[in-house]
């Protein structure tokens, strides 16, 4: 539907009954190119009523009211309640090339999301810029960082909505920071007004809609959920092998070792340093035999050097970004003077993807995309630099924020095909909306401090709200040196972080799990080991993210958006990890901390102490015991300890059920962890339902054709009334006590039956 008013033309289209797109232009509509959106519009509105001054467009779930002069668009729910809309008299406005949407701000309105942003969970009263920026050791309030996700969720009057502003140029979001609460706004330096309005009854529902629009992650390789060790840089090959051996001899589980820039010859992408890594395949084979996977760094800058194949091929085929006159842009990064691949051209993406054979041939399985803001010394690529943009042409002003996304895409697509059906793993620093389709994201060059550890939790949680589930910081901190206590605490939080990688800047002290003395080594080993035991639970949470977009680390704002306690400074970092863990990140200096427990009941993990919800409590938080709680009524799945994901656990799956008055449904998921066969139904999925009033736990009929690796189940019942037996599919099973805990019982049974009903 196109509406022409005195000052603009607006197109309103329907992507789902609760997803409406608004495009506004001053002149003519241009070709529609989005690097973020993968969904297409569906039919039109179910009804259109045209009055003299306004137009009413309806879908099954929304009513869009458009006033023509001046133009104004408002979104109402079916009950006629205003959800969000243009601020009267302002609406969409242009100033030079800049376009702004001014919108009604409700008195109690809060805002969450916007991806990798510092600042508090509730973004009301703040303003933010999206311009992907290489910002080493960023400050706690600094903005912008490396990632742009112009998507946020608004919350007011028990109403939830989301807005995705699909404009890749520099954008500014002002959530009532400088407007005396009259309106909130978002603007872009160039391009058109182009936003999607998303409506749902819950925050999770809005995230589901947003990831319907911008895509979801595929299941990552199972090994990428394991512990990952990184440093700038481990070299030569003998050091890398020693590192791997040390993990194994100390029995500290780990799956991945990273090679930072020193593995390359003169920092030239797709090369190996001839002295440091003379036989990469041999080294990687040895690592594989110890159960390690290798991830190597790649930066986009291609060194200008005669004879270097990537440079020669790029020049031959005209693959680099250039100035209007046709000269290639030159910027300096690690290798010195470089040209930069133009990832907005299909041929360049394919060429880049294929070039990874230099890494996949010797056996590299993960690809770390760095410096892809793109970062150049001096920070600024001149505005005049041009890109192909799928044939339409564009300057760095609109490509900058999607450059990292397109590099990650090229890397993902290329390596996926090179790995012949095996899952690839991509990690990126810069990103834009939609990155979840291709890559995990880490939060860049952070700092070893308690404040940064807390900020990291918030960044990860905010990215989760914004569709990016596979994220994590440099655990331990990149810049600076952590105290032993900080390192220990950060490792315990890392175990409950979707992406768990320890990384350290060049020249700083060692930061391996054993670098801080025996006591901390013991703690780090305990936390990492627990992570490995929890993998069946964590993998199920990843499955959920790949299916619905619901993140793995979930800010409490997802489930409790209208509970004001969760926004308080002291509680805003708390999050759910998967469905049933509540993590209260305490600093390394606190022996006690204050925790807010949302409604329901919560068991302290380890002590089994049950707390009533909807209250704040002061709990012990020693370094060995991060405050972690399990939802009363929740289910956790646990396996035996393994040293890496390439080792098979014992064939018993522990299913821990924590008693509560309210039941739950936990979707348990397994697949081969290595291929994309699960897309064809080769997976094993059951819903584990706990029904307290019915006195029943059910393992639903198995979906999918993959045989579970677990032949038997040990059901561990926490906080249940004591009894000597339970019944499993009508047969009596005797219970035992579990770990000598008075309130915990254990009962074992076969996992092979299609459906399993347990009566207690
Ligand atoms: C950048 C990255 C960092 C990496 C370093 C050297 O600073 O963010 O993770 O170690 O470059 O490649």
């Amino acid at each position: 539907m196109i509406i022409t008013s005195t000052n603009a033309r607006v197109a309103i289209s329907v992507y789902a009954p609760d997803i409406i797109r608004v495009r506004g232009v001053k002149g003519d509509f241009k070709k529609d190119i989005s690097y973020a959106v993968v969904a297409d519009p569906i039919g039109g509105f179910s009804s259109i009523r045209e009055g003299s001054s306004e137009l009413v467009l309806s879908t099954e779930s929304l009513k869009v009211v458009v006033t023509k002069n001046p133009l104004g668009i408002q979104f109402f729910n079916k009950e006629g309640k205003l959800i969000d809309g243009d601020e009267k008299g302002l609406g969409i406005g242009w100033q030079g090339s800049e376009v702004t949407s001014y919108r009604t701000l409700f008195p109690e309105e809060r805002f969450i999301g916007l991806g990798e942003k510092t600042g508090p969970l509730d973004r009301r009263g703040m303003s933010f810029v999206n311009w992907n920026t290489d910002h080493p050791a960023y400050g706690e309030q600094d903005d912008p960082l490396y990632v742009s996700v112009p998507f946020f969720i608004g919350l007011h009057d028990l109403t939830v909505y989301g807005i995705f502003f699909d404009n890749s140029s520099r954008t500014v979001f002002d959530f009532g920071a400088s407007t005396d609460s009259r309106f909130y706004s978002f603007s872009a330096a160039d391009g058109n007004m182009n936003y999607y309005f998303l409506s749902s009854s819950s925050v999770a529902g809005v995230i589901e809609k947003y990831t319907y629009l911008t895509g979801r992650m595929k299941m990552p390789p199972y090994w990428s959920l394991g512990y990952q060790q990184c440093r700038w840089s481990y070299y030569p090959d003998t050091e890398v092998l020693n590192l791997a051996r040390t993990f194994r001899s100390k029995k500290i589980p780990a799956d991945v070792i990273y090679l930072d820039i020193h593995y390359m010859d003169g920092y030239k992408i797709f090369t190996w340093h001839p002295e440091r890594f003379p036989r990469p395949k041999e080294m990687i084979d040895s690592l594989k035999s110890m159960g390690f996977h290798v991830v190597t760094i790649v930066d986009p800058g291609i060194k200008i050097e005669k004879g270097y194949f990537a440079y020669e091929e790029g020049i031959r085929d005209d693959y680099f970004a250039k100035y209007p006159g046709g000269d290639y842009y030159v910027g300096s990064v690690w290798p010195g003077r470089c040209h930069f691949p133009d990832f907005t051209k299909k041929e360049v993406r394919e060429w880049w993807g294929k070039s990874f054979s230099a890494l996949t041939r010797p056996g590299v399985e993960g690809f770390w995309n760095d410096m892809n803001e793109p970062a150049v010394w001096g920070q600024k690529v001149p505005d005049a630099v041009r890109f192909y943009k799928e044939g339409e042409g564009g300057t760095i002003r609109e490509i900058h924020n999607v450059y990292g996304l397109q590099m990650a895409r090229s890397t993902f697509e290329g390596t996926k095909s090179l790995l012949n059906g095996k899952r690839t793993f991509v990690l990126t620093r810069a990103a834009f909306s939609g990155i979840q389709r291709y890559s995990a994201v880490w939060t860049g060059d952070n700092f070893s401090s308690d404040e940064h550890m807390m900020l990291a939790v918030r960044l990860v949680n905010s990215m989760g709200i914004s569709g990016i589930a596979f994220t994590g910081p440099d655990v331990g901190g990149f810049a600076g040196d952590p105290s032993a206590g900080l390192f220990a605490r950060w490792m315990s939080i890392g175990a409950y972080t979707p992406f768990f990688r320890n990384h350290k800047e060049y020249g700083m002290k060692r930061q391996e799990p054993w670098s801080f003395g025996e006591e901390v080594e013991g703690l780090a080993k305990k936390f990492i080991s627990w992570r490995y035991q929890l993998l069946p639970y964590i993998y199920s949470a990843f499955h959920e993210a790949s299916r619905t977009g619901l993140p793995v680390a979930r800010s409490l704002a997802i489930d409790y958006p209208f509970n004001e306690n969760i926004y308080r400074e002291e509680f805003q970092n708390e999050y759910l990890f998967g469905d049933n863990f509540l993590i209260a990140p305490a600093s390394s200096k606190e022996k006690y901390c204050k925790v807010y427990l949302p409604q329901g009941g919560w068991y302290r993990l380890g002590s089994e102490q049950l707390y009533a919800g909807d209250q704040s409590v002061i709990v012990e938080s020693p370094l060995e015991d991060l405050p972690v709680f399990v939802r009363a009524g929740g289910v956790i799945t646990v396996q035996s300890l393994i040293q890496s994901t390439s080792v098979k656990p014992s064939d018993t799956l522990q299913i821990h059920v924590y008693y509560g008055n309210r039941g739950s449904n936990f979707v348990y998921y397994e697949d081969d962890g290595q291929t994309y066969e699960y897309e064809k139904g080769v997976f094993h999925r059951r819903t584990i339902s706990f029904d307290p009033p019915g006195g029943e736990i059910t393992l639903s009929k198995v979906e999918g054709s993959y045989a579970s690796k677990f032949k038997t189940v040990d059901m561990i019942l926490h906080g249940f009334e004591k009894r000597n037996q339970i019944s499993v599919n009508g047969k009596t099973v005797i219970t035992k006590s579990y770990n000598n805990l008075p309130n915990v019982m254990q009962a074992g049974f076969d996992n092979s039956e299609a459906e399993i009903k347990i009566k207690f």
Side-chain angles (χ1 to χ4, degrees), residues 81-139:
K81 185 165 134 187
L82 177 65
I83 309 174
D84 178 53
D86 288 345
E87 170 70 357
K88 288 216 167 61
L90 286 165
I92 302 175
W94 278 266
Q95 235 153 23
S97 67
E98 189 175 300
V99 59
T100 306
S101 172
Y102 300 94
R103 312 181 75 80
T104 301
L105 180 60
F106 289 84
E108 304 293 316
E109 188 157 12
R110 296 181 193 274
F111 298 92
I112 56 172
L114 218 65
E116 189 191 58
K117 291 291 176 204
T118 59
L121 170 61
D122 177 5
R123 309 208 174 279
R124 171 85 185 241
M126 316 266 308
S127 89
F128 301 90
V129 173
N130 285 317
W131 187 254
N132 294 356
T133 302
D134 174 19
H135 193 339
Y138 47 91

Side-chain angles (χ1 to χ4, degrees), residues 335-355:
R337 296 174 71 247
C338 289
H339 292 321
F340 290 80
D342 181 355
F343 295 111
T344 65
K345 191 175 192 179
K346 188 161 171 268
E347 291 76 15
V348 179
R349 290 194 289 268
E350 286 171 359
W351 164 73
W352 176 262
K354 283 192 189 124
S355 307

Side-chain angles (χ1 to χ4, degrees), residues 232 260-261 297 334 368 370-371 429 442 445 478 503:
W232 175 13
D260 205 328
I261 48 177
I297 198 166
W334 301 121
W368 171 20
D370 189 25
M371 308 296 275
R429 192 172 74 175
W442 99 101
D445 297 347
F478 176 73
H503 182 35

Side-chain angles (χ1 to χ4, degrees), residues 259-525:
L259 301 183
D260 205 328
I261 48 177
H262 289 88
Y263 81 89
M264 291 179 271
D265 180 12
Y267 302 144
K268 283 178 290 189
I269 309 306
F270 309 127
T271 67
W272 291 89
H273 194 283
E275 282 99 48
R276 295 173 186 155
F277 294 92
R279 285 176 296 279
K281 179 160 186 329
E282 242 169 67
M283 176 192 73
I284 295 172
D285 283 346
S286 305
L287 289 169
K288 278 188 182 160
S289 71
M290 289 187 266
F292 278 96
H293 300 264
V294 171
V295 176
T296 50
I297 198 166
V298 287
D299 295 345
I302 304 272
K303 186 177 173 74
I304 300 174
E305 184 183 280
K306 281 243 161 306
Y308 164 42
F309 77 95
Y311 167 77
E312 296 287 354
E313 288 173 12
I315 295 287
R316 182 193 67 205
D317 295 329
D318 192 22
Y319 282 167
F320 300 131
K322 41 181 126 157
Y323 286 107
D327 294 342
Y328 295 121
Y329 164 65
V330 180
S332 288
V333 212
W334 301 121
R337 296 174 71 247
C338 289
H339 292 321
F340 290 80
D342 181 355
F343 295 111
T344 65
K345 191 175 192 179
K346 188 161 171 268
E347 291 76 15
V348 179
R349 290 194 289 268
E350 286 171 359
W351 164 73
W352 176 262
K354 283 192 189 124
S355 307
F356 280 91
S357 60
L359 301 173
T360 55
R361 240 183 288 115
V364 177
E365 291 164 284
F367 312 91
W368 171 20
N369 288 199
D370 189 25
M371 308 296 275
N372 51 352
E373 291 72 29
V376 286
W377 304 153
Q379 289 282 358
K380 178 107 171 82
V381 175
D383 280 357
V385 173
R386 296 195 64 78
F387 293 81
Y388 182 72
K389 198 188 163 195
E390 317 308 320
E392 294 299 296
T395 69
I396 188 78
R397 287 170 65 92
E398 61 177 308
I399 299 306
H400 177 86
N401 281 344
V402 292
Y403 191 82
L405 172 74
Q406 290 309 291
M407 177 183 174
R409 170 190 179 181
S410 316
T411 306
F412 175 81
E413 288 169 351
T415 57
K416 180 167 181 268
S417 132
L418 286 169
L419 290 175
N420 270 328
K422 261 188 153 182
R423 292 182 204 171
T424 182
F425 171 73
V426 181
L427 175 68
T428 184
R429 192 172 74 175
F432 188 75
S433 293
I435 191 66
Q436 63 272 12
R437 305 196 295 269
Y438 313 119
S439 181
V441 179
W442 99 101
T443 60
D445 297 347
N446 64 356
F447 195 85
S448 296
S449 70
D450 270 293
E451 292 71 24
H452 250 281
M453 179 170 71
M454 297 302 182
L455 171 61
V457 169
R458 251 179 356 268
L459 293 175
V460 166
N461 292 349
S462 180
M463 281 203 268
I465 291 170
S466 318
I468 312 173
F470 200 4
T471 54
D474 286 345
V475 172
F478 176 73
D481 286 313
S483 66
L486 176 64
F487 179 75
R489 178 45 53 82
W490 212 332
M491 289 294 276
S492 67
I493 297 174
Y496 296 99
T497 302
F499 175 66
F500 185 13
R501 183 185 76 156
N502 168 344
H503 182 35
K504 188 83 248 166
E505 188 179 4
Y506 185 76
M508 304 312 285
K509 287 193 193 141
R510 310 296 300 190
Q511 196 166 282
E512 288 84 52
W514 49 85
S515 306
F516 299 87
E518 251 173 57
E519 199 185 330
V520 169
E521 177 181 334
L523 292 179
K525 177 172 174 170

